[in-house]
Amino acid sequence: DQQVKQNSPSLSVQEGRISILNCDYTNSMFDYFLWYKKYPAEGPTFLISISSIKDKNEDGRFTVFLNKSAKHLSLHIVPSQPGDSAVYFCAASDGAGANNLFFGTGTRLTVIP
Amino acid sequence: GAGVSQSPRYKVAKRGQDVALRCDPISGHVSLFWYQQALGQGPEFLTYFQNEAQLDKSGLPSDRFFAERPEGSVSTLKIQRTQQEDSAVYLCASSLTLIRPTGELFFGEGSRLTVL
């Protein structure tokens, strides 16, 4: 039972344009959300996070938006760069399970020069 | 190095063999996690240590899986009598404290296990 879903396995974007990666979740107890980025043959690296008390968090070119009523979050990358090409995982944790993260299946982003 | 180190990077085992996967977390990190990532899937939680204490092993798929962290640093994930469905990348991650409030886990490169 996948509690965190990334329905787009892949996304291609032109360099300089906006990349929007989407994530949906089913567990209303989730209150902390994270995005990880993964290059081939490397482990995932933390990118950005957001608490459920916020609806937006921004860090440079990366912004995460959270819509709790829709149980949806998105990661915006502006402007997209070829080095952003990677697999992006959405992850979530709940108040009781701080020792566990639930990951989505990932979206492979390709930024075309 | 300064990051999480895992070994071996690649392991091929015959069905029924026992395997041991090692994780060297970042020095001083209290929390250590093991995740299993099957092909085309996201990482799935296996187990969690806080120092040497295994506080959660709810994600271990069967009693063939065993993890330890005896001195609160290096951890070993052991899989006994491997089966083909055990083929996956096993990721180790560490964190200075609990996941929150920073939310950041530092992952190793993973150990890719292939069971023939």
Side-chain angles (χ1 to χ4, degrees):
Chain A
D1 181 27
Q2 195 78 23
Q3 299 188 59
V4 177
K5 300 177 184 179
Q6 294 176 257
N7 293 319
S8 298
S10 62
L11 174 68
S12 290
V13 171
Q14 286 290 136
E15 180 179 3
R17 305 292 292 269
I18 183 171
S19 295
I20 300 176
L21 296 97
N22 294 303
C23 177
D24 297 291
Y25 61 96
T26 58
N27 188 343
S28 58
M29 297 301 293
F30 286 152
D31 64 351
Y32 198 78
F33 304 89
L34 308 93
W35 284 92
Y36 280 81
K37 175 177 170 179
K38 184 183 183 305
Y39 292 118
E42 295 184 11
T45 56
F46 171 77
L47 191 57
I48 193 168
S49 63
I50 188 167
S51 164
S52 61
I53 62 174
K54 294 184 174 182
D55 54 19
K56 176 182 173 180
N57 189 27
E58 190 172 351
D59 183 2
R61 296 186 297 114
F62 302 91
T63 303
V64 56
F65 295 91
L66 175 63
N67 182 336
K68 283 180 291 185
S69 61
K71 294 192 180 67
H72 177 84
L73 65 155
S74 60
L75 175 67
H76 292 211
I77 307 173
V78 182
S80 301
Q81 300 174 354
D84 297 329
S85 297
V87 177
Y88 290 79
F89 290 99
C90 171
S93 74
D94 62 37
N99 51 301
N100 186 5
L101 285 180
F102 296 86
F103 283 85
T105 52
T107 297
R108 181 179 300 279
L109 173 66
T110 302
V111 180
I112 304 163
Chain B
V4 177
S5 177
Q6 292 188 244
S7 61
R9 290 290 310 278
Y10 303 93
K11 175 69 180 177
V12 178
K14 291 184 180 178
R15 191 164 58 91
Q17 239 181 329
D18 297 349
V19 299
L21 307 176
R22 176 188 168 106
C23 173
D24 264 289
I26 293 173
S27 178
H29 276 199
V30 169
S31 298
L32 186 144
F33 306 79
W34 284 99
Y35 282 82
Q36 180 191 57
Q37 186 177 13
L39 190 64
Q41 301 297 312
E44 291 195 6
F45 172 80
L46 292 178
T47 186
Y48 162 65
F49 290 85
Q50 194 173 106
N51 295 308
E52 69 279 1
Q54 188 176 22
L55 297 187
D56 188 343
K57 53 181 181 179
S58 62
L60 296 176
S62 78
D63 59 8
R64 296 186 295 102
F65 286 70
F66 172 77
E68 60 182 4
R69 192 187 185 198
E71 296 178 359
S73 178
V74 171
S75 176
T76 304
L77 176 67
K78 297 179 180 177
I79 310 172
Q80 297 177 322
R81 305 181 303 281
T82 52
Q83 304 294 315
Q84 283 189 324
E85 62 263 28
D86 300 335
S87 297
V89 175
Y90 290 86
L91 293 165
C92 176
S94 70
S95 174
L96 189 58
T97 57
L98 298 177
I99 288 183
R100 275 115 53 95
T102 65
E104 184 171 358
L105 296 185
F106 294 85
F107 281 88
E109 294 168 321
S111 292
R112 180 179 295 277
L113 172 64
T114 303
V115 182
L116 303 177

